[in-house]
Amino acid sequence: MDQVAAAAGVSRATVSRVINHAANVAPEIREAVQRAITKTGYVPNVAARSLVTRRSNSVALVISEPDRPDDHSFLNRIFTDPYFGRVTAGATGALRPHDVHLVVVPTDSADHHQVVRYLRQGHVDGVLLISSHGDDPLPGQVLALGIPAVLSARPPGPLQVSYVDVDQRLGAQLAAQHLLDRGRRRLATISGPLDIPAGAERLDGFRAYLAAQGLPDVPAVVGDFTRAGGEAAAHRLLADHPGLDGLFVASDLMAEGALRAVQDRGRRVPDEVAVVGFDDSSAALECRPPLTTVRQPVEEMAAEMAALLIAHIDEPGRLPRSVIFQPTLVVREST
């Protein structure tokens, strides 16, 4: 630091303020110090810096699932489901300018005590929490630690926590309206798990819109947000309702499986059955035909989560805030 200070023509204290991102440094001074750091090859001692700042410069992306049938299937879903990859990309991009690293922590109910212990020990400065099931106790356990946290969806119950979500009901309504506009009247849906708020809200939004248009009692089968689950659910629907001509599937991955089931039964898409998904993930483009889908801007939502978390870390006691994004419909060849 003395060498950096000499090269920049400033005091050691000024170098320290620049390294620690203090606000009260003139831009020209900050630039001079940065040039000196590059010239001298100086790298801060992270351990020593953490002792001074009391920060780890890391945040955890905790992905909480209620059950883990086996480690392979659990981790396979996390690292192959486009949703989790998009969240990671969006959060990482927003954290990088702050020199904050993202640590991915998958967990289920059996491992919650280990995650809570990890967080309590100060390994990270905050938590981005993907908690998919409404009865998951982990959000409350994290808040009880007093560590800054932001949720990826509206929390169930009275938790006072910042969160980012998309208007799930509106997204499902867009799907319903589009299918009606395409002249489809024998409609059905494959929902997500109903103990997940997004699954329940997408089903409610779809059914409520159709009921208002004179189409009550729309058939529904509950899926599990996987390709295999969507395929199995579509086979059940088509067996019970062979004349259906429009299908809303509550995720693109399930829709990919559902398209396979529709085509395996000799039904043409979209001529005989129109299909709409939800997410606008890479899976929508991998479908054959390419999938019409409701887009939720996952990367932007994850970046907003990261920005909220940084604000809570920088300003302890900051009041919780919610940010709701608006979905849009992306029309492709499946409708």
Side-chain angles (χ1 to χ4, degrees), residues 67-105:
D67 300 304
R68 186 189 305 184
D70 61 76
D71 285 343
H72 176 75
S73 63
F74 178 71
L75 294 175
N76 183 64
R77 183 188 169 206
I78 289 174
F79 292 111
T80 59
D81 189 324
Y83 174 78
F84 296 116
R86 295 172 69 191
V87 170
T88 302
T92 300
L95 293 171
R96 187 178 295 118
H98 299 276
D99 197 24
V100 173
H101 302 283
L102 190 69
V103 181
V104 179
V105 182

Side-chain angles (χ1 to χ4, degrees), residues 203-224:
L203 176 60
D204 290 346
F206 186 72
R207 280 181 157 170
Y209 183 87
L210 292 178
Q213 306 303 313
L215 295 173
D217 303 321
V218 174
V221 173
V222 177
D224 61 359

Side-chain angles (χ1 to χ4, degrees), residues 66-67 131-136 156 192-200 222-223:
D67 300 304
S131 176
S132 58
H133 289 256
D135 59 354
D136 188 350
L194 299 184
D195 58 344
I196 296 177
V222 177

Side-chain angles (χ1 to χ4, degrees), residues 20-280:
N20 290 305
H21 305 290
N24 59 338
V25 180
E28 62 272 15
I29 298 297
R30 189 181 302 276
E31 185 178 343
V33 172
Q34 293 292 354
R35 286 199 303 267
I37 288 173
T38 301
K39 178 180 178 181
T40 61
Y42 171 72
V43 178
N45 184 305
V46 175
R49 181 177 172 183
S50 295
L51 289 173
V52 174
T53 64
R54 297 187 179 276
R55 292 190 182 180
S56 66
N57 286 337
S58 297
V59 301
L61 173 61
V62 177
I63 303 170
S64 178
E65 292 284 336
D67 300 304
R68 186 189 305 184
D70 61 76
D71 285 343
H72 176 75
S73 63
F74 178 71
L75 294 175
N76 183 64
R77 183 188 169 206
I78 289 174
F79 292 111
T80 59
D81 189 324
Y83 174 78
F84 296 116
R86 295 172 69 191
V87 170
T88 302
T92 300
L95 293 171
R96 187 178 295 118
H98 299 276
D99 197 24
V100 173
H101 302 283
L102 190 69
V103 181
V104 179
V105 182
T107 182
D108 67 355
S109 55
D111 287 343
H112 281 178
H113 66 285
Q114 296 180 356
V115 173
V116 170
R117 184 171 65 246
Y118 173 80
L119 299 176
R120 184 185 292 118
Q121 291 171 344
H123 295 290
V124 296
D125 300 320
V127 178
L128 301 171
L129 179 56
I130 300 176
S131 176
S132 58
H133 289 256
D135 59 354
D136 188 350
L138 189 58
Q141 293 170 341
V142 171
L143 289 181
L145 295 175
I147 185 171
V150 177
L151 300 190
S152 67
R154 178 176 54 83
L159 291 179
Q160 296 299 309
V161 61
S162 290
Y163 67 91
V164 176
D165 205 347
V166 70
D167 190 331
Q168 308 283 357
R169 291 178 63 91
L170 175 58
Q173 290 169 14
L174 293 175
Q177 181 180 9
H178 180 70
L179 288 169
L180 291 181
D181 289 345
R182 286 293 195 262
R184 310 305 166 113
R185 291 298 181 269
R186 299 184 300 277
L187 304 179
T189 181
I190 300 172
S191 77
L194 299 184
D195 58 344
I196 296 177
E201 290 175 11
R202 292 173 194 177
L203 176 60
D204 290 346
F206 186 72
R207 280 181 157 170
Y209 183 87
L210 292 178
Q213 306 303 313
L215 295 173
D217 303 321
V218 174
V221 173
V222 177
D224 61 359
F225 286 147
T226 68
R227 289 184 184 89
E231 184 173 4
H235 276 297
R236 287 177 56 192
L237 275 174
L238 290 164
D240 294 339
H241 307 278
L244 71 84
D245 63 2
L247 182 60
F248 169 52
V249 189
S251 81
D252 291 347
L253 274 183
M254 289 199 301
E256 189 174 1
L259 282 171
R260 186 179 305 150
V262 170
Q263 293 162 344
D264 284 349
R265 287 177 172 266
R267 305 292 300 280
R268 291 174 297 163
V269 178
D271 297 348
E272 296 176 276
V273 181
V275 180
V276 179
F278 199 111
D279 285 331
D280 194 29

Side-chain angles (χ1 to χ4, degrees), residues 5 74 110 198 311 323 329:
F74 178 71
V323 179
L329 186 73

